[in-house]
Amino acid sequence: MARLPKLAVFDLDYTLWPFWVDTHVDPPFHKSSDGTVRDRRGQDVRLYPEVPEVLKRLQSLGVPGAAASRTSEIEGANQLLELFDLIRYFVHREIYPGSKVTHFERLQQKTGIPFSQMIFFDDERRNIVDVSKLGVTCIHIQNGMNLQTLSQGLETFAKAQTGLRSSLEESPFEA
């Protein structure tokens, strides 16, 4: 079986949901009796449709998840993760303004998982560029997270691991 990452990390805005939590919606959020999540103005707030299935699939594969977001709306982002019942899929959350590199350095410190064993899904090219320099397999999201993107990402990760393994085997140096 293909090698799986030891940690799958997700951006939030335009990766799990189709908006910026700090500008496009108006916290605080609440869940209506019909289960719909709404903002303070009563506007419906939704995830991309396949996000719950993506996170369930990773959980069934034994791959823990984490969130890494640069939003300044920390409380609102955490509230949405709870209201959408996604908290259970994330073993760690790094949600605060700043560099995604900082988010990943903290994730690595907290988990002990090497960057090369992480996969990261994000919609912003600058984050993909920055985090890939750490050795993380990065997947650029175009239209929200979905099952096809997950499958392609896991395939990209497995191929990267095969390449990493063969280059280590070819190395004349002993570890």
Side-chain angles (χ1 to χ4, degrees):
M1 184 175 160
R3 303 239 355 226
L4 292 170
K6 290 188 168 61
L7 187 66
V9 184
F10 295 89
D11 173 49
L12 301 177
D13 296 344
Y14 287 100
T15 299
L16 298 188
W17 47 64
F19 52 84
W20 285 311
V21 72
D22 58 356
T23 57
H24 293 157
V25 291
D26 198 8
F29 304 99
H30 66 279
K31 191 180 277 192
S32 301
S33 56
D34 65 0
T36 304
V37 176
R38 293 192 170 91
D39 72 2
R40 184 167 41 135
R41 295 171 297 172
Q43 177 183 336
D44 286 5
V45 179
R46 301 184 191 282
L47 295 169
Y48 283 112
E50 295 183 8
V51 164
E53 189 56 39
V54 164
L55 297 173
K56 285 178 196 163
R57 176 86 47 92
L58 280 169
Q59 187 178 57
S60 74
L61 293 170
V63 179
S69 176
R70 300 161 42 120
T71 186
S72 59
E73 182 50 62
I74 300 164
E75 190 175 331
N78 279 299
Q79 187 179 29
L80 285 175
L81 289 174
E82 289 176 28
L83 291 172
F84 286 128
D85 198 26
L86 301 182
I87 283 287
R88 60 190 165 135
Y89 298 110
F90 296 114
V91 293
H92 294 286
R93 287 172 281 158
E94 296 295 322
I95 303 173
Y96 45 83
S99 170
K100 288 278 172 110
V101 170
T102 303
H103 292 110
F104 274 83
E105 288 170 343
R106 289 186 180 167
L107 285 169
Q108 198 277 326
Q109 289 168 357
K110 289 177 178 180
T111 65
I113 296 171
F115 294 128
S116 65
Q117 296 300 307
M118 296 180 189
I119 189 169
F120 177 46
F121 298 91
D122 196 309
D123 68 303
E124 288 191 53
R125 177 69 60 194
R126 65 180 172 163
N127 295 329
I128 296 295
V129 170
D130 291 348
V131 173
S132 67
K133 291 175 184 172
L134 298 173
V136 175
T137 299
C138 295
I139 309 300
H140 186 233
I141 301 299
Q142 303 281 345
N143 297 300
M145 194 63 207
N146 58 51
L147 290 165
Q148 180 180 355
T149 302
L150 175 64
S151 295
Q152 291 169 341
L154 292 177
E155 189 176 312
T156 300
F157 178 86
K159 286 179 181 173
Q161 296 305 301
T162 302
L164 186 65
R165 194 168 42 248
S166 62
S167 69
L168 289 174
E169 289 168 1
E170 294 168 8
S171 173
F173 303 102
E174 294 292 322

